[in-house]
Amino acid sequence: MDTAFFLRWIATVTERVRAERDHLTDLDRAIGDADHGSNLDRGFTAVEEALVTTSPATPADVLTTTGTTLIRKVGGASGPLYGTLFRTLGRSIGDVAEVSPEALADAFADALGAIMKLGSAAEGDKTMIDALAPAVPALKVSFDAAAQAARDGARATTEMRARKGRASYLGERSVGHQDPGATSMAIVIDSLRAA
Ligand code: ADP
Ligand code: MG
C-alpha cells in the first residue's frame, strides 16, 4: 500500500464521517453531549485541507498529518485518541514508500496500545477500543475480516455499561445505547476495505 492508498483511506473516512455526522451525534446525544459527529466532521474537514496543502510524500506523512490535525482541531476526548491512533500508525510504519499488510497490522497493534494507554481504557469499557481491539488480530487475515470484527465490536457496546468517558457518568443508564466512538471506529476500519 502506497501514499495514494493512504490518501484514499483518509478521504473515504472523511466522506463517511460527513455522511454519518448526524447519526454519530445522535448516538452521543443518548449517552454523551451530542457532539461526536460534529467533532469528527470538523476534524476530518481540517485534515482534508491539510493533506491538500502539505501534499505528503510518504504513507507516514499522510498518517502523521492526519493525526496532528485531529489533535489540533478536535476538542473532545476523541480528538487526542484518534490523533494518537494515526500518529502512532505513522511512527510505526516508518519512512517507507510501500507498506505491507503485515506492517500495517503490526502498526495497528501499536496504535491500539497507545490509545489504551492514553485513555487508560480496556476492552469492555464501552469505548472505541471495543471496535478497534477485535479488528487488530483480524487485520492479519483480511480487511474484510477486520471490518466485520470492528462492526461486531461496535454493536456489542450496546449491552455494555460505560466505564470511561462522559458516558460513564450515566452508570447503568448507559446500557442499551451503542457507543458513538466505537461506531466511528468501525467506519475508520471499514474504510480500509473500501480504499
Ligand atoms: P467527548 O466525550 O469529549 O464529548 P466525543 O463525543 O467526540 O468526545 O467522543 C466520545 C467517544 O470517545 C466515546 O464514545 C468513546 O468511544 C471515546 N472515549 C471517551 N473516553 C475514552 C477513553 N478514556 N478511552 C477510549 N475511548 C474513549
Ligand atoms: Mg461528545
Side-chain angles (χ1 to χ4, degrees), residues 28 33 35-36 166:
D28 194 34
D33 58 352
D35 64 359
H36 188 58
R166 277 179 202 282

Side-chain angles (χ1 to χ4, degrees), residues 10 12 21-22 64 67 75 88 91 117 128 131 136 142 164 189:
I10 302 301
T12 306
R21 183 191 133 115
D22 292 348
T64 305
T88 306
R91 193 175 319 123
K117 190 167 167 215
M128 57 175 69
V136 167
S142 69
K164 292 289 169 191
I189 306 288

Side-chain angles (χ1 to χ4, degrees), residues 69-127:
T69 306
L70 291 176
I71 291 172
R72 197 169 323 125
K73 293 288 177 180
V74 180
S78 59
L81 291 162
Y82 272 118
T84 296
L85 170 83
F86 289 107
R87 285 173 57 104
T88 306
L89 289 177
R91 193 175 319 123
S92 183
I93 65 176
D95 190 21
V96 292
E98 298 249 358
V99 183
S100 69
E102 294 75 22
L104 187 62
D106 289 344
F108 262 97
D110 289 346
L112 171 63
I115 293 189
M116 289 175 76
K117 190 167 167 215
L118 178 64
S120 57
E123 267 184 273
D125 286 347
K126 195 180 181 100
T127 71

Side-chain angles (χ1 to χ4, degrees), residues 146-158:
Q148 184 67 49
R151 245 191 324 271
D152 291 348
R155 210 168 293 132
T157 62
T158 306

